[in-house]
Amino acid sequence: MEDQIINNSPFITNDATVMGLLAIILGFVFYTSNSEHPAFKKFYKYVPALLMCYLLPSLLNTFGIVSAELSQVDEVAKYYLLPACLVLLTLSIDIKAIVGLGNKAVIMFLTGTIGVVIGGPIALLAISAIWPELLGVTGPEAVWRGMAALAGSWIGGGANMLAMKEIYGADGKIFTIMVTVDIVVANLWMAVLLYLAANHKRIDAKSGADTSAIDRLIDRVEASQRENTKLPVLKDFMLIIAVGFGAAGLAHFAADYLVPYFQMNFPDLKKFSLHSKLFWIIVLVTTIGLALSFTKVRKLEAVGASKVGSSLLYVLVATIGLHMDVTQIVESPKYIAIGVIWMLVHVILLLIVGKIIKAPIFYLAVGSKANIGGAASAPVIASAFHPSLAPVGVLLAVLGYALGTYMAWLCGQLLRIIGS
């Protein structure tokens, strides 16, 4: 028996070594994905770098180099790195600037958010007519739990996806499948939006949309970039760390009191995740980040707060990858169908509202990608219209980070009602 345990043990058991491997993998992915070497450029033309950040760590688990069950790096990531990441990604939100984008931009963004919230339950109901076994599952492998995680990605981004995975307890297999759905469906929609961006003048002329506000935005964004550029020094990075992990510590402190309070006084609220410490930590750090956005602390964005937050995000991505076993992904087609229907609801709602308010196609495209793609792809779509508009995509994507925790949680609750 002892020999069997030894034979089944992973090659690497030291978590410090595991974390080092993950750091090397992430460095390799980012170095090669930004390389000018023809082979790498051709590879990443078809394979998204984000997918590699999931896939390569999964190979460590698949081939027994690391055991996801024995390693504790994901616990450190979700309880320490994730809260700090969320704070740093939300503190830069500029409410005044978003209001300055005009009502139509915000309306289209929020329409996209609503499309994701209601699209998930609609897609699950539609697909369950063909595959009824997708309903009635209550364990961690339940489809609705994985869809709740995907809702986090499609409203706020990767950090919110990881947050919803932990809040709703989706297991590694269903989460892996939803990562695949995210990559495939989101990239297809990205291609459509790039086509729309290339033809936006003709589309706007035909719809009669007023694009004068966009011209004013270009001037405003260019001026803002010139004024806020700053070379960071060590003090700036230490302040970023202080804010991120300080807020995370404060959230942990408050959650230690809130969880037992709700457990004792409101036992029936367990089904809404109010007995979960991680739920409270995530909600609290998001709220703290929003509150800090109204203070001078938001100036840390000028020296790279969101870049540090994104760095933590990719470490989280890699730790989640450790729980994947790529040999177990055999049911993707039905889940891709769920993703396509879900996306269609999102898109159709955007088209209807856009036609009613005569919104320029720019607002539809960026409002959608600020939800579906977040800060990683919203600037790409925005810059496809005009290079100076890339920060507009970031602004709306940051709003997505702020809403992602709350709206994805709401979508998860709707999915739970239908799926369990």
Side-chain angles (χ1 to χ4, degrees), residues 392-417:
V392 176
V394 176
L395 276 175
L396 287 176
V398 170
L399 180 57
Y401 283 129
L403 290 179
T405 298
Y406 310 109
M407 300 305 289
W409 176 83
L410 174 60
C411 182
Q413 292 299 322
L414 297 175
L415 288 165
R416 178 185 63 80
I417 293 171

Side-chain angles (χ1 to χ4, degrees), residues 338-355:
I338 288 178
V340 170
I341 294 173
W342 195 342
M343 183 67 74
L344 284 174
V345 174
H346 166 81
V347 173
I348 290 171
L349 192 60
L350 279 169
L351 289 172
I352 292 172
V353 174
K355 185 174 181 61

Side-chain angles (χ1 to χ4, degrees), residues 299-357:
K299 292 183 179 180
L300 288 175
E301 174 57 21
V303 290
S306 64
K307 290 184 175 63
V308 175
S310 296
S311 300
L312 299 179
L313 168 62
Y314 277 96
V315 175
L316 292 164
V317 167
T319 63
I320 292 297
L322 283 178
H323 287 267
M324 299 182 196
D325 184 341
V326 295
T327 62
Q328 294 180 355
I329 307 176
V330 295
E331 298 182 324
S332 293
K334 72 173 72 172
Y335 299 107
I336 295 295
I338 288 178
V340 170
I341 294 173
W342 195 342
M343 183 67 74
L344 284 174
V345 174
H346 166 81
V347 173
I348 290 171
L349 192 60
L350 279 169
L351 289 172
I352 292 172
V353 174
K355 185 174 181 61
I356 292 173
I357 67 174

Side-chain angles (χ1 to χ4, degrees), residues 356-367:
I356 292 173
I357 67 174
K358 293 187 176 181
I361 198 68
F362 170 75
Y363 289 147
L364 182 151
V366 177

Side-chain angles (χ1 to χ4, degrees), residues 82-300:
L82 175 59
C85 168
L86 289 172
V87 172
L88 296 177
L89 290 175
T90 55
L91 66 80
S92 61
I93 190 169
D94 187 342
I95 301 298
K96 290 182 179 178
I98 289 177
V99 172
L101 294 177
N103 293 334
K104 291 182 180 179
V106 177
I107 288 171
M108 294 305 289
F109 169 80
L110 294 177
T111 298
T113 302
I114 294 170
V116 173
V117 172
I118 66 173
I122 291 173
L124 182 56
L125 277 174
I127 292 298
S128 65
I130 304 173
W131 290 288
E133 67 273 12
L134 297 180
L135 302 182
V137 182
T138 57
E141 73 281 5
V143 175
W144 71 266
R145 296 182 189 273
M147 292 179 69
L150 182 55
S153 176
W154 282 5
I155 298 177
N160 295 94
M161 185 178 195
L162 301 177
M164 292 303 111
K165 174 193 180 295
E166 300 302 335
I167 286 176
Y168 285 106
D171 71 4
K173 181 180 179 181
I174 191 62
F175 182 79
T176 299
I177 291 171
M178 290 302 162
V179 168
T180 303
V181 173
D182 189 8
I183 294 296
V184 172
V185 177
N187 280 348
L188 287 174
W189 178 229
M190 180 82 159
V192 174
L193 289 176
L194 288 172
Y195 171 81
L196 295 177
N199 297 275
H200 71 276
K201 291 184 179 179
R202 178 172 57 85
I203 296 172
D204 286 333
K206 187 176 181 179
S207 66
D210 179 10
T211 60
S212 59
I214 296 176
D215 296 329
R216 291 194 296 270
L217 279 174
I218 292 174
D219 295 336
R220 177 173 179 173
V221 169
E222 289 177 341
S224 177
Q225 285 179 321
R226 290 192 297 268
E227 294 172 3
N228 294 325
T229 300
K230 180 181 177 183
L231 184 66
V233 296
L234 179 60
K235 179 197 73 173
D236 297 318
F237 288 115
M238 294 308 298
L239 287 174
I240 290 171
I241 291 173
V243 170
F245 287 98
L250 179 61
H252 272 267
F253 178 80
D256 285 338
Y257 288 94
L258 287 169
V259 170
Y261 173 79
F262 276 88
Q263 287 175 337
M264 182 178 297
N265 296 286
F266 304 97
D268 294 337
L269 295 182
K270 181 179 181 180
K271 61 184 178 182
F272 295 109
S273 307
L274 296 184
H275 292 184
S276 166
K277 181 177 179 180
L278 188 63
F279 167 80
W280 282 110
I281 291 172
I282 291 169
V283 169
L284 287 168
V285 293
T286 302
T287 305
I288 290 171
L290 284 172
L292 291 176
S293 73
F294 291 96
T295 70
K296 292 183 179 180
V297 176
R298 68 178 309 276
K299 292 183 179 180
L300 288 175

